Amino acid sequence: IQGFVEVLLNLWSDAEKNFKICNLAYLSICHLACGRTNSARMVADGCTSILCFITEHKNDPKFASYNFNWEAKYHGAAALRNLLFVISNQKSMVLEGCLETIIKLSNESVEMTNLIKLNASNNISGANFMNTNMSASVVNTLATGTQQNCAVCLQSMTFNKEIRDKLLSSEAITIILDDIRSQGTTINPNLLRELEEESWDNGSRSRKKAHGRLKDVPIWALYTELLGGTSNVQLNVDLKYEDMSKFYVQVQLDKPNTVTDTGNESADNIDSSSDVALNFDDIGIQDLSPYEESDDFLTTAVQAHPKQGYDIEGDSTQLNLLNSDGKALG
């Protein structure tokens, strides 16, 4: 949806003040990034700063108490994965802090999955594991998916030469190597790092299908909780009434140029007051248009030759009346 991210970004300073609205706004960005959308337009409009809020809010005392659940974290990592799959998006997103967010999300997911493993012997089959309002199995699935999405984000960035140094100088390289080892490799960690770095430079690898966009993100149901109740909106405006006034307006239109056709000659912009001499000897039968009588002839003739007034000059003291024979009466 064109312009949605830009609108939400302008409203974000107010949305982040309320956790419920903030969470809905955050998930809406994730939902958009996980669908069929213009990822370059989303990044250009500034969606990265909103996606990074899921970890960076802890640095601000006003929002440190916000507790995003694992569903939000999973979809946040999925959104970052889909956006970072496009290499042209990566540089600007890293500049806006997405690399730090990915590392933090990955570390949180590893901690959660390890915690669930440690408590596997205890009774953790309840529906509210560690006050998450989810069962332990659901939390484990979401945390594992978050960890995988973060690893794919970092794998995508290894194809960008401008970002590789940032990956090597941060925890990102450790996350990448841990993901490789989780697939069953027994190579020495130091040797594995050397081989991985060398593969970045010599181009001996290709992007795996499993490291592409995440396509199986389910569509969420409509959120209707805030649609009930009555609204109580107070507008901070000043009312002002203006008296209605009627104005007379005179419009002057330019007189169009006229074209007069006199036989084979034409005269443009002829002044109606000038004398125009017509030489009828030069007009032949071929110059006359055929006569066709029509029902609207009378109307056309009247419209073409309207009534006109004439001044009669003569002796005002004598008026001679003539009969039909031309003789004076009286």
Side-chain angles (χ1 to χ4, degrees):
I1 302 177
Q2 294 185 355
F4 174 76
V5 176
E6 187 176 3
V7 171
L8 191 58
L9 189 64
N10 292 332
L11 299 174
W12 182 252
S13 59
D14 291 325
E16 65 182 358
K17 297 176 183 178
N18 182 285
F19 175 71
K20 182 177 291 186
I21 298 178
C22 173
N23 187 55
L24 286 175
Y26 185 86
L27 290 177
S28 67
I29 293 292
C30 296
H31 183 70
L32 191 62
C34 292
R36 300 180 63 180
T37 186
N38 186 339
S39 64
R41 175 68 183 272
M42 288 190 64
V43 174
D45 287 346
C47 70
T48 306
S49 60
I50 297 179
L51 292 174
C52 292
F53 186 80
I54 199 166
T55 58
E56 300 310 306
H57 73 276
K58 298 178 181 179
N59 299 328
D60 192 329
K62 298 191 298 295
F63 314 121
S65 61
Y66 286 2
N67 184 23
F68 290 93
N69 62 24
W70 277 100
E71 185 180 34
K73 294 177 182 179
Y74 170 80
H75 287 95
L80 290 169
R81 170 179 176 170
N82 289 347
L83 295 175
L84 288 168
F85 176 74
V86 181
I87 295 180
S88 59
N89 293 338
Q90 295 175 359
K91 183 177 180 180
S92 60
M93 292 184 68
V94 169
L95 291 176
E96 293 187 53
C98 78
L99 182 58
E100 292 77 7
T101 294
I102 293 169
I103 293 174
K104 291 177 181 179
L105 279 176
S106 180
N107 291 337
E108 289 181 16
S109 62
V110 171
E111 291 176 3
M112 178 56 67
T113 53
N114 289 338
L115 182 62
I116 293 175
K117 291 178 182 178
L118 291 175
N119 289 273
S121 58
N122 300 328
N123 183 15
I124 57 174
S125 60
N128 188 20
F129 175 68
M130 295 185 63
N131 298 321
T132 60
N133 294 323
M134 300 177 183
S135 65
S137 60
V138 172
V139 173
N140 186 65
T141 300
L142 293 174
T144 302
T146 301
Q147 181 181 358
Q148 180 62 29
N149 287 334
C150 291
V152 173
C153 287
L154 300 177
Q155 286 281 1
S156 295
M157 287 190 281
T158 61
F159 291 89
N160 193 325
K161 296 180 180 180
E162 298 180 89
I163 302 177
R164 290 173 183 171
D165 289 340
K166 293 182 179 294
L167 299 178
L168 294 174
S169 61
S170 64
E171 292 183 62
I173 183 62
T174 302
I175 297 173
I176 293 173
L177 297 178
D178 289 343
D179 180 66
I180 296 175
R181 283 194 292 269
S182 67
Q183 300 174 19
T185 183
T186 57
I187 300 177
N188 179 275
N190 293 330
L191 177 60
L192 180 63
R193 174 166 180 158
E194 293 180 6
L195 293 175
E196 180 66 14
E197 292 181 26
E198 184 178 353
S199 68
W200 296 357
D201 294 328
N202 60 24
S204 61
R205 66 201 174 110
S206 60
R207 303 186 77 170
K208 299 180 181 179
K209 186 176 181 180
H211 291 166
R213 286 175 52 88
L214 189 65
K215 300 179 181 180
D216 58 349
V217 179
I219 299 176
W220 301 309
L222 293 176
Y223 187 86
T224 59
E225 181 179 339
L226 298 179
L227 298 180
T230 58
S231 59
N232 183 20
V233 179
Q234 296 181 356
L235 300 178
N236 185 20
V237 297
D238 295 330
L239 296 179
K240 184 178 180 180
Y241 297 93
E242 291 289 345
D243 296 334
M244 301 296 292
S245 301
K246 184 176 181 181
F247 297 92
Y248 294 94
V249 179
Q250 183 179 9
V251 179
Q252 294 182 352
L253 300 177
D254 295 335
K255 184 179 180 181
N257 296 330
T258 58
V259 178
T260 303
D261 189 3
T262 59
N264 296 327
E265 297 181 357
S266 61
D268 298 340
N269 303 325
I270 296 179
D271 188 356
S272 60
S273 62
S274 63
D275 296 331
V276 179
L278 300 178
N279 189 356
F280 291 96
D281 294 335
D282 296 335
I283 300 177
I285 189 67
Q286 71 278 0
D287 299 317
L288 301 178
S289 59
Y291 171 76
E292 294 181 0
E293 190 172 357
S294 61
D295 295 337
D296 59 348
F297 172 76
L298 181 59
T299 304
T300 304
V302 173
Q303 293 178 351
H305 305 283
K307 294 181 179 180
Q308 298 182 4
Y310 295 92
D311 295 332
I312 300 176
E313 296 182 358
D315 190 353
S316 61
T317 60
Q318 182 179 358
L319 178 63
N320 296 326
L321 300 178
L322 304 178
N323 59 15
S324 60
D325 297 332
K327 297 180 181 181
L329 298 177

